[in-house]
Amino acid sequence: MDRLAVIIATRGRPALVRAIVDWLGAQTRPAERIIVVGTQPADIAALPEDRPGLTVRIGPAGLPRQRNDGLRLAGDAYDGIVFFDDDFVPSRFWLEKAVDTFRAHPDLAALTGTLIADGIKSPGIALDDALARVAAHDAALPRPGAGLDGRFGPYGCNMAFRTAAIRGLSFDERLPLYAWLEDSDFGGQILRRGGRTARAEALRGIHLGHKAGREQGLRLGYSQIANPLYLAGKGTLPLPVAANLMLRNVTANMVRALASEPYVDRPGRLKGNVVALRDILRGRLAPERVTQL
């Protein structure tokens, strides 16, 4: 694997995406190309368009659409494609170890990393804190282990793919907006082709979990029901997994609705769950319906 492209979809976080792009300059094995896809000029206003190796574009909003735009821009010019969220801080060894792992395992189609911390389950992690923690981690463990866990598929904030293994695949644009579970669907498409996916111990980083720019409340609650059922019907998410996800989310929203975490709109999510369940009874449940809420 000789050439890498990193694709970052961004929306509403111009300063943050600039910081992440700058941080990628410290990789021990830099990418040949960084592609940032925003939804409006303000999203990419902080990025220097004349920076060598950086491609900046504006396209239709929606995570799958933006990632597909990135894939089209990359084409077949790169042996590997890496997706980072605009709030993910990778170890400076991330790209180097991804290339090493793909070379050591020719049957691997996709890799995802092992998180030092994930702010999506909390109010979020400050960028400066994450940068310091990742730098300290790299200093303490300059050459992390190479263990693989094949039970895991790609996790959207940090995932890498062998280009040859995903040729002709795309992120499902029926999953609009923030597109919950679009990573699981993409991984499921790879598995149906007979590709192998794994989580790598060597690929470390911190997901800030910033809430700005994400879909919350009512819409996310609807997607918590609509998206798993749609993907189960499509065959990219096993039905037992889809059922477990829905049950866990509805239960959590019910239990915590009266005493919601300050960073989570549990009442809104629960309302979205109820709207989706009603749509099932009416025969009109569809992931796209979230855009009408």
PDB file of all heavy atoms in Angstrom, residues 122-140:
ATOM      1  N   SER A 122     -20.135  11.472  26.520  1.00  0.00           N
ATOM      2  CA  SER A 122     -19.985  12.461  27.583  1.00  0.00           C
ATOM      3  C   SER A 122     -20.300  13.841  27.014  1.00  0.00           C
ATOM      4  O   SER A 122     -20.695  13.947  25.847  1.00  0.00           O
ATOM      5  CB  SER A 122     -18.547  12.428  28.114  1.00  0.00           C
ATOM      6  OG  SER A 122     -17.664  13.005  27.159  1.00  0.00           O
ATOM      7  N   PRO A 123     -20.132  14.901  27.799  1.00  0.00           N
ATOM      8  CA  PRO A 123     -20.359  16.237  27.231  1.00  0.00           C
ATOM      9  C   PRO A 123     -19.409  16.575  26.085  1.00  0.00           C
ATOM     10  O   PRO A 123     -19.621  17.554  25.382  1.00  0.00           O
ATOM     11  CB  PRO A 123     -20.113  17.162  28.428  1.00  0.00           C
ATOM     12  CG  PRO A 123     -20.361  16.319  29.632  1.00  0.00           C
ATOM     13  CD  PRO A 123     -19.898  14.962  29.253  1.00  0.00           C
ATOM     14  N   GLY A 124     -18.390  15.752  25.893  1.00  0.00           N
ATOM     15  CA  GLY A 124     -17.402  16.022  24.857  1.00  0.00           C
ATOM     16  C   GLY A 124     -16.042  16.303  25.476  1.00  0.00           C
ATOM     17  O   GLY A 124     -15.923  16.628  26.662  1.00  0.00           O
ATOM     18  N   ILE A 125     -15.000  16.171  24.678  1.00  0.00           N
ATOM     19  CA  ILE A 125     -13.622  16.363  25.132  1.00  0.00           C
ATOM     20  C   ILE A 125     -13.053  17.587  24.430  1.00  0.00           C
ATOM     21  O   ILE A 125     -13.180  17.735  23.210  1.00  0.00           O
ATOM     22  CB  ILE A 125     -12.768  15.126  24.825  1.00  0.00           C
ATOM     23  CG1 ILE A 125     -13.344  13.902  25.555  1.00  0.00           C
ATOM     24  CG2 ILE A 125     -11.314  15.347  25.224  1.00  0.00           C
ATOM     25  CD1 ILE A 125     -12.721  12.585  25.137  1.00  0.00           C
ATOM     26  N   ALA A 126     -12.438  18.463  25.181  1.00  0.00           N
ATOM     27  CA  ALA A 126     -11.854  19.677  24.609  1.00  0.00           C
ATOM     28  C   ALA A 126     -10.678  19.322  23.702  1.00  0.00           C
ATOM     29  O   ALA A 126      -9.917  18.394  23.975  1.00  0.00           O
ATOM     30  CB  ALA A 126     -11.385  20.610  25.718  1.00  0.00           C
ATOM     31  N   LEU A 127     -10.541  20.080  22.634  1.00  0.00           N
ATOM     32  CA  LEU A 127      -9.481  19.805  21.669  1.00  0.00           C
ATOM     33  C   LEU A 127      -8.108  19.841  22.321  1.00  0.00           C
ATOM     34  O   LEU A 127      -7.290  18.936  22.107  1.00  0.00           O
ATOM     35  CB  LEU A 127      -9.551  20.820  20.523  1.00  0.00           C
ATOM     36  CG  LEU A 127      -8.424  20.735  19.493  1.00  0.00           C
ATOM     37  CD1 LEU A 127      -8.425  19.393  18.783  1.00  0.00           C
ATOM     38  CD2 LEU A 127      -8.531  21.881  18.494  1.00  0.00           C
ATOM     39  N   ASP A 128      -7.805  20.874  23.093  1.00  0.00           N
ATOM     40  CA  ASP A 128      -6.484  20.986  23.710  1.00  0.00           C
ATOM     41  C   ASP A 128      -6.195  19.799  24.620  1.00  0.00           C
ATOM     42  O   ASP A 128      -5.064  19.293  24.665  1.00  0.00           O
ATOM     43  CB  ASP A 128      -6.368  22.293  24.495  1.00  0.00           C
ATOM     44  CG  ASP A 128      -6.274  23.514  23.587  1.00  0.00           C
ATOM     45  OD1 ASP A 128      -6.025  23.332  22.376  1.00  0.00           O
ATOM     46  OD2 ASP A 128      -6.458  24.636  24.081  1.00  0.00           O
ATOM     47  N   ASP A 129      -7.217  19.356  25.357  1.00  0.00           N
ATOM     48  CA  ASP A 129      -7.056  18.198  26.230  1.00  0.00           C
ATOM     49  C   ASP A 129      -6.742  16.956  25.405  1.00  0.00           C
ATOM     50  O   ASP A 129      -5.838  16.176  25.740  1.00  0.00           O
ATOM     51  CB  ASP A 129      -8.332  17.998  27.050  1.00  0.00           C
ATOM     52  CG  ASP A 129      -8.235  16.830  28.014  1.00  0.00           C
ATOM     53  OD1 ASP A 129      -7.114  16.528  28.468  1.00  0.00           O
ATOM     54  OD2 ASP A 129      -9.279  16.208  28.316  1.00  0.00           O
ATOM     55  N   ALA A 130      -7.477  16.769  24.313  1.00  0.00           N
ATOM     56  CA  ALA A 130      -7.261  15.595  23.471  1.00  0.00           C
ATOM     57  C   ALA A 130      -5.871  15.614  22.840  1.00  0.00           C
ATOM     58  O   ALA A 130      -5.186  14.584  22.796  1.00  0.00           O
ATOM     59  CB  ALA A 130      -8.332  15.526  22.386  1.00  0.00           C
ATOM     60  N   LEU A 131      -5.447  16.771  22.351  1.00  0.00           N
ATOM     61  CA  LEU A 131      -4.119  16.871  21.747  1.00  0.00           C
ATOM     62  C   LEU A 131      -3.034  16.507  22.751  1.00  0.00           C
ATOM     63  O   LEU A 131      -2.082  15.781  22.423  1.00  0.00           O
ATOM     64  CB  LEU A 131      -3.888  18.286  21.213  1.00  0.00           C
ATOM     65  CG  LEU A 131      -4.753  18.725  20.027  1.00  0.00           C
ATOM     66  CD1 LEU A 131      -4.529  20.208  19.734  1.00  0.00           C
ATOM     67  CD2 LEU A 131      -4.460  17.890  18.792  1.00  0.00           C
ATOM     68  N   ALA A 132      -3.184  16.996  23.976  1.00  0.00           N
ATOM     69  CA  ALA A 132      -2.187  16.702  25.010  1.00  0.00           C
ATOM     70  C   ALA A 132      -2.194  15.222  25.377  1.00  0.00           C
ATOM     71  O   ALA A 132      -1.129  14.606  25.551  1.00  0.00           O
ATOM     72  CB  ALA A 132      -2.452  17.567  26.248  1.00  0.00           C
ATOM     73  N   ARG A 133      -3.383  14.646  25.477  1.00  0.00           N
ATOM     74  CA  ARG A 133      -3.483  13.230  25.864  1.00  0.00           C
ATOM     75  C   ARG A 133      -2.931  12.316  24.775  1.00  0.00           C
ATOM     76  O   ARG A 133      -2.258  11.318  25.060  1.00  0.00           O
ATOM     77  CB  ARG A 133      -4.932  12.871  26.186  1.00  0.00           C
ATOM     78  CG  ARG A 133      -5.445  13.512  27.468  1.00  0.00           C
ATOM     79  CD  ARG A 133      -6.938  13.295  27.656  1.00  0.00           C
ATOM     80  NE  ARG A 133      -7.272  11.893  27.880  1.00  0.00           N
ATOM     81  CZ  ARG A 133      -8.520  11.452  28.064  1.00  0.00           C
ATOM     82  NH1 ARG A 133      -9.527  12.314  28.041  1.00  0.00           N
ATOM     83  NH2 ARG A 133      -8.761  10.175  28.272  1.00  0.00           N
ATOM     84  N   VAL A 134      -3.211  12.633  23.532  1.00  0.00           N
ATOM     85  CA  VAL A 134      -2.687  11.817  22.432  1.00  0.00           C
ATOM     86  C   VAL A 134      -1.170  11.948  22.353  1.00  0.00           C
ATOM     87  O   VAL A 134      -0.458  10.953  22.160  1.00  0.00           O
ATOM     88  CB  VAL A 134      -3.352  12.212  21.092  1.00  0.00           C
ATOM     89  CG1 VAL A 134      -2.625  11.564  19.917  1.00  0.00           C
ATOM     90  CG2 VAL A 134      -4.817  11.810  21.092  1.00  0.00           C
ATOM     91  N   ALA A 135      -0.649  13.165  22.521  1.00  0.00           N
ATOM     92  CA  ALA A 135       0.802  13.366  22.499  1.00  0.00           C
ATOM     93  C   ALA A 135       1.480  12.589  23.630  1.00  0.00           C
ATOM     94  O   ALA A 135       2.535  11.969  23.430  1.00  0.00           O
ATOM     95  CB  ALA A 135       1.127  14.856  22.606  1.00  0.00           C
ATOM     96  N   ALA A 136       0.875  12.600  24.807  1.00  0.00           N
ATOM     97  CA  ALA A 136       1.437  11.858  25.939  1.00  0.00           C
ATOM     98  C   ALA A 136       1.377  10.358  25.680  1.00  0.00           C
ATOM     99  O   ALA A 136       2.324   9.617  26.008  1.00  0.00           O
ATOM    100  CB  ALA A 136       0.668  12.209  27.220  1.00  0.00           C
ATOM    101  N   HIS A 137       0.280   9.909  25.096  1.00  0.00           N
ATOM    102  CA  HIS A 137       0.145   8.490  24.768  1.00  0.00           C
ATOM    103  C   HIS A 137       1.224   8.069  23.771  1.00  0.00           C
ATOM    104  O   HIS A 137       1.853   7.024  23.918  1.00  0.00           O
ATOM    105  CB  HIS A 137      -1.249   8.237  24.183  1.00  0.00           C
ATOM    106  CG  HIS A 137      -1.476   6.812  23.778  1.00  0.00           C
ATOM    107  ND1 HIS A 137      -1.093   6.321  22.543  1.00  0.00           N
ATOM    108  CD2 HIS A 137      -2.041   5.766  24.441  1.00  0.00           C
ATOM    109  CE1 HIS A 137      -1.412   5.037  22.463  1.00  0.00           C
ATOM    110  NE2 HIS A 137      -1.986   4.680  23.585  1.00  0.00           N
ATOM    111  N   ASP A 138       1.459   8.895  22.754  1.00  0.00           N
ATOM    112  CA  ASP A 138       2.468   8.569  21.749  1.00  0.00           C
ATOM    113  C   ASP A 138       3.862   8.529  22.359  1.00  0.00           C
ATOM    114  O   ASP A 138       4.697   7.695  21.980  1.00  0.00           O
ATOM    115  CB  ASP A 138       2.428   9.590  20.613  1.00  0.00           C
ATOM    116  CG  ASP A 138       1.242   9.390  19.680  1.00  0.00           C
ATOM    117  OD1 ASP A 138       0.588   8.324  19.770  1.00  0.00           O
ATOM    118  OD2 ASP A 138       0.974  10.296  18.871  1.00  0.00           O
ATOM    119  N   ALA A 139       4.129   9.437  23.278  1.00  0.00           N
ATOM    120  CA  ALA A 139       5.444   9.462  23.917  1.00  0.00           C
ATOM    121  C   ALA A 139       5.663   8.231  24.789  1.00  0.00           C
ATOM    122  O   ALA A 139       6.771   7.689  24.855  1.00  0.00           O
ATOM    123  CB  ALA A 139       5.597  10.735  24.747  1.00  0.00           C
ATOM    124  N   ALA A 140       4.608   7.776  25.458  1.00  0.00           N
ATOM    125  CA  ALA A 140       4.727   6.632  26.354  1.00  0.00           C
ATOM    126  C   ALA A 140       4.724   5.304  25.599  1.00  0.00           C
ATOM    127  O   ALA A 140       5.305   4.316  26.052  1.00  0.00           O
ATOM    128  CB  ALA A 140       3.580   6.647  27.365  1.00  0.00           C
TER     129      ALA A 140
END
